[in-house]
Amino acid sequence: MKARCGVPFASFRAEVVCWRTGAVWPAGLDDSNGVRGLHLDRQLQLVAMDTSEKTDVVLLACGSFNPITNMHLRLFELGKDYMNATGKYRVIKGIISPVGDAYRKKGLIPAHHRVIMAELATKNSHWVEVDTWESLQKEWVETVKVLRHHQEKLATGSCDHPQSSPSLDRPGRKRKWAEQKQDSSPKKPQESKPTGVPRVKLLCGADLLESFSVPNLWKIEDITQIVANYGLICITRAGSDAQKFIYESDVLWRYQSNIHLVDEWITNDISSTKIRRALRRGQSIRYLVPDLVQEYIEKHDLYSSESEDRNAGVILAPLQRNIAEAKHNSSTA
């Protein structure tokens, strides 16, 4: 059989081009399955392109978690929903990183208790996990260094190897965390991230964003690296004006495209401070924290007037370090 131009139909060939490699395969239209095969290949190609254009993201939350609350867990769900809904990102993991004891915050109970409570809170989560690296450091670690640590960990592929964590069958016992051999030395920031490596972004509440303006609490270069190289996913709360705060900060304004503000329409005013206050007064905290966390707190009698006085009168580690560095720099200038 011939077409009107005199060329046999059998000589017409369609080609399927791989969007990734540029390779070309013939898709014959001279057989009964040719057209259907071509359409199927095209559909698969579009699906692959849609998947490849999304950036894999890991949400990292740093903080005291003293104790962890249901609101902390909600931050992850809100952040994940928002990022996935943009169509540009795909959240693949959430990480809770409790701060170490060297942070010296008033009322901060020992890290091993806070880590175990976080483990209990995420026990049934299929995507949020607890990382102990920050809590194991002898000295306080800046948030930008924690971000860098996890980004480098993802780049080397070590995130596929689960780390040891506090034993939940004997929660009152301090484990030997020194067995976790990981390099805690400061490292230079990566100038570029390898293609295909998930991107770590800092998940936080509006209070952390606003804390950037507290004198000597943050270094301006650290804030710049956080928003420029990693990015923020900030869950706003009632009474806060995160957008105005960004407008009033030159650094945040410059990198506002890397700051994602997420509205929490279902108001939730749970905080660790209020949980500790309720416990000191003998009031119930049920439904404010996960049940396993409540049981652990009660079993070990973790929060009391005495525990709230822990580190009382001690200068917060970042304030102490940044003030000392500022004095040193001014004296040598």
Side-chain angles (χ1 to χ4, degrees):
M1 180 179 179
K2 292 186 178 182
R4 292 182 180 179
C5 60
V7 181
F9 274 112
S11 64
F12 280 91
R13 305 288 290 182
E15 293 177 337
V16 177
V17 181
C18 176
W19 61 272
R20 185 185 295 247
T21 65
V24 179
W25 294 275
L29 298 182
D30 54 340
D31 59 77
S32 60
N33 294 322
V35 175
R36 286 180 294 176
L38 178 59
H39 287 316
L40 178 59
D41 287 338
R42 179 57 180 166
Q43 290 172 359
L44 293 174
Q45 181 181 351
L46 291 173
V47 171
M49 290 179 68
D50 178 67
T51 302
S52 69
E53 291 172 355
K54 292 183 180 180
T55 300
D56 286 344
V57 169
V58 173
L59 305 182
L60 172 67
C62 299
S64 300
F65 300 102
N66 187 40
I68 192 169
T69 71
N70 287 339
M71 186 57 199
H72 288 132
L73 302 178
R74 282 294 299 160
L75 293 182
F76 281 93
E77 297 297 328
L78 291 166
K80 181 181 180 181
D81 285 349
Y82 174 88
M83 295 300 282
N84 287 346
T86 65
K88 299 177 181 179
Y89 303 99
R90 177 176 50 244
V91 175
I92 62 171
K93 183 193 294 187
I95 299 175
I96 293 174
S97 180
V99 73
D101 294 335
Y103 187 54
R104 299 179 181 177
K105 185 176 183 179
K106 183 178 181 298
L108 189 67
I109 67 171
H112 74 279
H113 283 307
R114 292 182 285 110
V115 168
I116 290 174
M117 286 189 286
E119 290 276 10
L120 289 168
T122 58
K123 187 175 182 180
N124 296 322
S125 176
H126 67 279
W127 71 283
V128 180
E129 61 185 42
V130 180
D131 188 276
T132 61
W133 181 83
E134 182 183 0
S135 67
L136 298 178
Q137 307 310 304
K138 294 181 179 180
E139 300 293 333
W140 167 71
V141 183
E142 293 91 335
T143 300
V144 69
K145 293 180 180 178
V146 180
L147 285 160
R148 189 181 308 147
H149 164 78
H150 286 285
Q151 188 63 68
E152 292 176 350
K153 187 176 178 181
L154 288 168
T156 58
S158 60
C159 60
D160 295 330
H161 304 289
Q163 64 174 5
S164 58
S165 58
S167 173
L168 297 183
D169 56 344
R170 298 179 62 187
R173 178 176 59 85
K174 294 183 179 179
R175 68 186 181 91
K176 296 181 179 179
W177 290 355
E179 295 177 359
Q180 190 183 60
K181 298 179 180 178
Q182 298 189 39
D183 183 15
S184 61
S185 59
K187 299 179 180 178
K188 295 181 180 180
Q190 289 179 301
E191 295 300 328
S192 62
K193 306 294 187 302
T195 303
V197 176
R199 302 300 299 270
V200 177
K201 292 187 179 293
L202 184 63
L203 177 68
C204 66
D207 54 343
L208 184 141
L209 186 70
E210 295 169 358
S211 73
F212 285 163
S213 64
V214 177
N216 296 311
L217 187 60
W218 297 83
K219 294 179 183 178
I220 188 64
E221 55 266 34
D222 286 359
I223 296 174
T224 302
Q225 286 188 48
I226 289 173
V227 294
N229 299 341
Y230 302 98
L232 289 177
I233 301 171
C234 178
I235 313 299
T236 63
R237 55 179 170 76
S240 67
D241 193 344
Q243 190 62 57
K244 180 181 178 183
F245 188 81
I246 292 173
Y247 169 76
E248 294 175 346
S249 167
D250 289 342
V251 173
L252 299 183
W253 180 261
R254 186 181 309 127
Y255 299 104
Q256 60 178 306
S257 63
N258 210 19
I259 301 175
H260 305 271
L261 300 181
V262 184
D263 292 321
E264 167 58 294
W265 296 110
I266 304 176
T267 56
N268 190 331
D269 198 28
I270 300 174
S271 70
S272 297
T273 300
K274 293 180 178 179
I275 296 297
R276 296 197 306 274
R277 182 182 298 128
L279 288 167
R280 292 197 306 273
R281 297 174 180 179
Q283 298 172 342
S284 171
I285 60 170
R286 193 171 188 184
Y287 309 123
L288 301 177
V289 301
D291 289 344
L292 292 177
V293 172
Q294 179 188 2
E295 292 172 8
Y296 184 86
I297 290 173
E298 293 174 350
K299 179 178 181 180
H300 298 279
D301 193 21
L302 293 182
Y303 297 103
S304 61
S305 298
E306 290 73 20
S307 69
E308 195 64 21
D309 288 335
R310 183 181 174 91
N311 293 323
V314 179
I315 299 176
L316 202 64
L319 290 174
Q320 187 176 39
R321 181 180 299 178
N322 295 336
I323 292 173
E325 289 184 6
K327 289 181 179 179
H328 175 74
N329 293 336
S330 62
S331 64
T332 57

